[in-house]
Amino acid sequence: MRGEQGAAGARVLQFTNCRILRGGKLLREDLWVRGGRILDPEKLFFEERRVADERRDCGGRILAPGFIDVQINGGFGVDFSQATENVCSGVALVARRILSHGVTSFCPTLVTSPPEVYHKVVPQIPVKSGGPHGAGVLGLHLEGPFISREKRGAHPEAHLRSFEANAFQDLLATYGPLDNVRIVTLAPELGRSHEVIRELTARGICVSLGHSVADLRAAEDAVWSGATFITHLFNAMLPFHHRDPGIVGLLTSDRLPAGRCIFYGMIADGTHTNPAALRIAHRAHPQGLVLVTDAIPALGLGNGRHTLGQQEVEVDGLTAYVAGTKTLSGSIAPMDVCVRHFLQATGCSVESALEAASLHPAQLLGLEKSKGTLDFGADADFVVLDDSLHVQATYISGELVWQAEAARQ
Amino acid sequence: MRLVILDNYDLASEWAAKYICNRIIQFKPGQDRYFTLGLPTGSTPLGCYKKLIEYHKNGHLSFKYVKTFNMDEYVGLPRNHPESYHSYMWNNFFKHIDIDPNNAHILDGNAADLQAECDAFEKKIKEAGGIDLFVGGIGPDGHIAFNEPGSSLVSRTRLKTLAMDTILANAKYFDGDLTKVPTMALTVGVGTVMDAREVMILITGAHKAFALYKAIEEGVNHMWTVSAFQQHPRTIFVCDEDATLELRVKTVKYFKGLMHVHNKLVDPLFSMKDGN
């Protein structure tokens, strides 16, 4: 448990010979950890008059906050949207396997499904701290069913719904209790969406706009009602048009509430977004970019046919399609691949690429005091990376939870 | 005194670091025998600290059996303020070496009873057996530590109000905003430093030249408190060329002529690896 068992007495760990991401820069500093949290060594020296109990040499590598994936539909054969008999073990398997991708926290995502599936699955995936068993669950991301028919993408048409009749009550009836829910993706052009958005926001649930044909005005209004995220920018929304930029226009809108930063998910797998489009978005609004995998159950499985939601998908290399069509079905690029691709495609700094996968998703979820940073007091969830941003080791609460083969003794 | 003149800042910093290194190693510090070092802050000693850290990282010098006493600290500045002397010492020295935190003494400018804090500091120095080597700098107004012009030359650790010269000189660390610079500090006295068995003053840069002239070529005067060390049996002034600009040619030539003698103090450079 973090910081609870008399942290003052707990072992002090000092990670040396490394560069840490702090304050948007890679600094040549040591990282100190105690009781599962990042420790202020100056305070330790002058107030407690203590030194480290153990030093670990990081071989000159980069230490970055652990990656946070806020959109992942499953992986390694597990489909979060399937109401199986062993939902928990499925989530646990994915949680453990994504450690090797540098992901230390995630939001299991459910695509459009019938109410029975939500009622069965949602209560079985509670928020959970990460550890050697796997990445932490921050809450569920429910993508659909309150989305646009025209922009449903791979979501099954039969299960799309509206909340025109009873607004929030319809949503509750569909999903069941929302205790475990962190993010809801919906289309704001649906009738009474503003009531729903306000209600969700009031409950601390992040509302994301996606799978929508909303124009810029409707999108801005949705942001005023409380929406803070855009689900996989460019995909499943109207294309940017110079007289109506649509949801994409939120990135540079001057009609948003003062001081509010709109975040947007980007799948930087080399397939879902053309690098030029990635660059346009990044240059327009770098602070809001959140890397997501939108990974499907086929992540980590290889070529062939697999299940996603209520549909079948076909995997071919690094691309997955709705079986028998050319519609993209979701990505199978792991988060660290996305980070590297994003870095290479945009030519941004290493710091920016790392923040897009850690700090920004933490800020989106209002967790930046404890996640997504290596500031003093934050949870000691971090990744050890080589200069080409390949994951060498993953730590949660200051404990080594995964290590690359080459790094093992 | 010894006046050691090096060509530039880097060489002066290195000479000073080598001297400190040799003194510590030759002392043969151990469990029951700590080497006590007085330490300064400011921009002048940064190069010296860097070299000492280098010697430590290369395994030549350990601070395990070294006790340090810093000269001063601002009053009223939070300990973790980036410009506090605690922050300075942590970032520029302590975090890079193996000193025991219990042996690194810095005055607490936020103590409830400031004079009691000063008295306790004097007591700690006494209990540590006095200072073996006090390293210091000089202000543009010729002060040692925060012993501003007019300070008693036999003063002890106490609270001092900073002179305008000092506040102006420090403004650069506070965004150039004079209103942000602390106006008071706790400082070791001139007498406190005079008690040290050996004193080394680092002076670099043309802006310190006049102060150096006043300190060593004019009389002992409480308006230029570093001048007190003319009456100390073992003082070394380590300077770069620029700092000597206000001295007489004769003075500079004499001491430059002695460099072969001075250099014997730092060459050979000892190492703890040699079983010292």
Side-chain angles (χ1 to χ4, degrees), chain A residues 161-179:
Chain A
R161 294 172 87 83
S162 89
F163 31 53
E164 242 164 22
N166 296 305
F168 190 68
Q169 293 311 313
D170 282 341
L171 183 139
L172 268 184
T174 303
Y175 292 148
L178 299 174
D179 306 50

Side-chain angles (χ1 to χ4, degrees), chain A residues 392-405:
Chain A
Q392 302 299 307
T394 307
Y395 284 79
I396 292 183
S397 287
E399 213 184 327
L400 178 67
V401 295
W402 183 84
Q403 199 174 24
E405 272 309 325

Side-chain angles (χ1 to χ4, degrees), chain A residues 88-167:
Chain A
C88 293
S89 55
V91 174
L93 189 146
V94 174
R96 189 169 48 79
R97 295 294 299 270
I98 58 179
L99 292 177
S100 68
H101 304 158
V103 178
T104 53
S105 300
F106 69 115
C107 294
T109 306
L110 272 70
V111 297
T112 295
S113 303
E116 310 86 76
V117 169
Y118 294 116
H119 294 152
K120 179 136 190 232
V121 174
V122 171
Q124 292 192 64
I125 312 178
V127 169
K128 187 178 174 178
S129 294
H133 54 272
V137 174
L138 297 174
L140 295 172
H141 178 167
L142 303 183
E143 186 191 13
F146 304 102
I147 55 175
S148 149
R149 191 159 302 267
E150 189 188 324
K151 290 292 180 186
R152 69 185 183 279
H155 292 232
E157 187 169 0
H159 301 294
L160 299 183
R161 294 172 87 83
S162 89
F163 31 53
E164 242 164 22
N166 296 305

Side-chain angles (χ1 to χ4, degrees), chain B residues 60-75:
Chain B
H60 300 303
L61 178 62
S62 164
F63 291 85
K64 193 170 173 199
Y65 298 116
V66 173
K67 287 183 178 169
T68 65
F69 291 88
N70 264 69
M71 296 189 127
D72 40 25
E73 174 60 284
Y74 290 116
V75 166

Side-chain angles (χ1 to χ4, degrees), chain A residues 115-283:
Chain A
E116 310 86 76
V117 169
Y118 294 116
H119 294 152
K120 179 136 190 232
V121 174
V122 171
Q124 292 192 64
I125 312 178
V127 169
K128 187 178 174 178
S129 294
H133 54 272
V137 174
L138 297 174
L140 295 172
H141 178 167
L142 303 183
E143 186 191 13
F146 304 102
I147 55 175
S148 149
R149 191 159 302 267
E150 189 188 324
K151 290 292 180 186
R152 69 185 183 279
H155 292 232
E157 187 169 0
H159 301 294
L160 299 183
R161 294 172 87 83
S162 89
F163 31 53
E164 242 164 22
N166 296 305
F168 190 68
Q169 293 311 313
D170 282 341
L171 183 139
L172 268 184
T174 303
Y175 292 148
L178 299 174
D179 306 50
N180 298 336
V181 178
R182 201 71 189 76
I183 307 173
V184 169
T185 291
L186 51 76
E189 69 270 23
L190 297 186
R192 302 187 73 178
S193 70
H194 295 287
E195 295 169 54
V196 175
I197 296 174
R198 265 181 239 119
E199 191 63 42
L200 286 169
T201 304
R203 285 161 184 244
I205 293 174
C206 166
V207 175
S208 185
L209 308 178
H211 289 277
S212 159
V213 294
D215 58 16
L216 179 57
R217 190 54 179 251
E220 286 163 344
D221 290 344
V223 172
W224 276 92
S225 292
T228 53
F229 196 42
I230 302 171
T231 300
H232 45 57
L233 187 77
F234 295 129
N235 298 103
M237 56 186 66
L238 291 176
F240 175 85
H241 183 283
H242 53 288
R243 273 189 298 277
D244 190 355
I247 292 176
V248 177
L250 286 178
L251 266 58
T252 49
S253 167
D254 59 357
R255 280 198 62 243
L256 300 183
R260 179 93 74 85
C261 175
I262 186 79
F263 292 93
Y264 56 100
M266 295 234 65
I267 307 171
D269 65 342
T271 306
H272 279 69
T273 318
N274 183 290
L278 196 53
R279 284 190 288 274
I280 286 177
H282 172 67
R283 287 179 202 175

